[in-house]
Amino acid sequence: MKKLILILTAVLLTCMGAAAQTKGGSTASPQLNKKNLVVKEWNANSKGTKTLDHMTIYSPEGKKIEEAEYYYNGKQKWRKRFEWGENGLMARELLYDERNHLVNYKKFEFNEFGKRKIQYTYDPKGKLISTKTYEYIAQDA
């Protein structure tokens, strides 16, 4: 009888712990609010001189709208701008060089799960350069 009570207590405690993790008391790490967020990554040399390395900008809705990478001297290497469709999925990704000239842009098609299906890359004049297809294969455990 004592073993049965111990087993039932252990099962009950396990279930309560699982419920606490799935509701508001989640043990997962807190999520960063990306609305209107600007993330800057800095490098510092041994003398303490800091230079901007990377920057990401998010919209008021929390979508990534711009990303840029910089050389050690602080000049821009490249910049990407992201445009979002009414469906909430990325419509275009535009890549600019260090002089802010358009290098290429990408358009996307998505599958029924909202995952990328096809990526089309175009030159600045709109000529198709390449196509990338995505394949998702679920592996049984």
Side-chain angles (χ1 to χ4, degrees), residues 33-138:
N33 181 358
K34 294 181 180 177
K35 294 180 180 182
N36 289 318
L37 182 67
V38 176
V39 178
K40 292 183 177 182
E41 300 173 31
W42 298 87
N43 285 325
N45 63 18
S46 61
K47 297 175 186 174
T49 304
K50 287 177 31 175
T51 56
L52 184 60
D53 179 62
H54 197 93
M55 183 170 60
T56 307
I57 301 172
Y58 295 88
S59 71
E61 297 80 31
K63 302 260 188 199
K64 186 190 315 186
I65 56 173
E66 192 167 316
E67 185 175 13
E69 191 163 309
Y70 299 86
Y71 290 108
Y72 68 92
N73 61 5
K75 293 192 181 209
Q76 180 182 294
K77 276 187 193 179
W78 55 262
R79 179 175 68 93
K80 287 183 184 178
R81 203 175 87 228
F82 303 93
E83 297 176 353
W84 298 85
E86 291 180 16
N87 58 5
L89 301 173
M90 189 181 303
R92 293 194 326 160
E93 176 184 304
L94 298 97
L95 175 65
Y96 298 88
D97 64 14
E98 64 275 358
R99 294 169 298 186
N100 272 332
H101 294 122
L102 183 63
V103 174
N104 65 45
Y105 64 93
K106 298 173 183 175
K107 289 185 177 181
F108 306 96
E109 285 184 27
F110 297 89
N111 65 19
E112 65 271 18
F113 303 109
K115 299 292 184 187
R116 288 183 185 177
K117 183 170 111 176
I118 304 173
Q119 169 186 300
Y120 303 97
T121 304
Y122 299 90
D123 72 10
K125 294 181 180 179
K127 181 181 176 190
L128 182 64
I129 299 170
S130 65
T131 304
K132 179 191 280 190
T133 57
Y134 293 80
E135 181 177 356
Y136 301 90
I137 302 169

